[in-house]
Amino acid sequence: MAIRTLQSVIEQHIAGLPGLIAVLIGRVTDGKTVAKVTYASDTQEEQALELLGTYASDLLQANNRLCQTVSPEEEADHLTAGSSHVRVILKSFPKSPYFVLFLTRSIIDLKAISERIKAILIDGKPLLPPVQDDTLSTAQALISYAKRYAPDPNFVALRLSLKTGLDRNRLEKGTLNRQELRILYKAVSDVLGVEHLPIALPS
């Protein structure tokens, strides 16, 4: 009997669905992809798809912050975005820091995707990796976000270390307490020139 994995769950539920470019399961806190199926036609396209989970986590967190501003009692758990040619559909796993993402051609039937996403959420949830400690994953998410969007990503860790007064190794490992997390959040905001980041600090 074959062992079920997140990969096999995705493959099972997308079989026969035309217009798919990629489907993945990722972690909201840092955009890490834990399972994926892609239909890339070349290496360059495959490399571009590697960034999907990263940008999806940013979108979900920003969307959640926006929705909480308008309706604080509700948590946003889905998002549709894209262009005239491609569409991105995101849906969070209930009570979990993971999401499923469908990247499709714009001609695909949204109802068919919705049904497949529901099936992946149900069958995939028991197979999700254990949740990391909030403090650790938030620190790593902040560093990762800074590296993605800073003008000089190769020197981000050094700049943040100098700006926060925190050891670079501790920043890279994400071993920070709540007070240090707040200091890091402010430093990342300053480096990127923005007031708010799409990453929530632990309450």
Side-chain angles (χ1 to χ4, degrees):
M1 180 176 167
I3 298 173
R4 295 198 85 192
T5 63
L6 286 172
Q7 180 91 12
S8 67
V9 166
I10 294 174
E11 290 170 347
Q12 173 191 346
H13 293 299
I14 65 173
L17 189 62
L20 277 179
I21 301 170
V23 179
L24 65 84
I25 294 173
R27 192 164 56 215
V28 177
T29 50
D30 57 8
K32 180 178 174 61
T33 299
V34 295
K36 71 175 178 177
V37 175
T38 64
Y39 300 97
S41 56
D42 57 48
T43 305
Q44 187 175 0
E45 192 175 35
E46 175 68 27
Q47 289 172 344
L49 292 176
E50 286 294 321
L51 296 171
L52 268 180
T54 298
Y55 294 136
S57 73
D58 294 345
L59 274 173
L60 279 169
Q61 291 183 67
N63 184 54
N64 191 44
R65 288 174 69 97
L66 179 66
C67 291
Q68 285 181 345
T69 301
V70 179
S71 182
E73 70 280 359
E74 293 184 28
E75 185 176 356
D77 68 348
H78 65 278
L79 185 66
T80 302
S83 68
S84 58
H85 299 294
V86 295
R87 184 177 286 133
V88 177
I89 300 97
L90 296 161
K91 177 79 174 165
S92 297
F93 280 85
K95 298 178 181 176
S96 168
Y98 291 94
F99 63 87
V100 60
L101 176 151
F102 273 57
L103 178 66
T104 73
R105 308 291 176 201
S106 57
I107 56 169
I108 202 164
D109 178 19
L110 283 176
K111 185 177 179 184
I113 295 174
S114 178
E115 291 169 356
R116 310 283 177 126
I117 288 176
K118 285 178 185 175
I120 291 173
L121 292 176
I122 292 167
D123 289 351
K125 187 160 187 183
L127 303 171
L128 293 172
V131 178
Q132 288 185 330
D133 171 74
D134 283 348
T135 302
L136 178 64
S137 59
T138 301
Q140 290 175 328
L142 286 167
I143 296 288
S144 176
Y145 189 83
K147 285 181 177 178
R148 286 198 300 277
Y149 294 109
D152 51 355
N154 293 329
F155 297 99
V156 164
L158 178 60
R159 286 182 68 190
L160 290 174
S161 178
L162 293 170
K163 202 164 189 58
T164 61
L166 300 171
D167 181 77
R168 183 174 175 177
N169 287 333
R170 288 189 62 224
L171 285 176
E172 294 279 6
K173 291 177 182 175
T175 53
L176 306 179
N177 61 40
R178 291 179 190 276
Q179 177 61 30
E180 290 169 334
L181 263 182
R182 286 192 283 273
I183 293 170
L184 176 60
Y185 185 99
K186 177 69 168 62
V188 171
S189 299
D190 290 345
V191 165
L192 298 180
V194 296
E195 190 174 343
H196 297 292
L197 302 172
I199 299 168
L201 292 173
S203 53

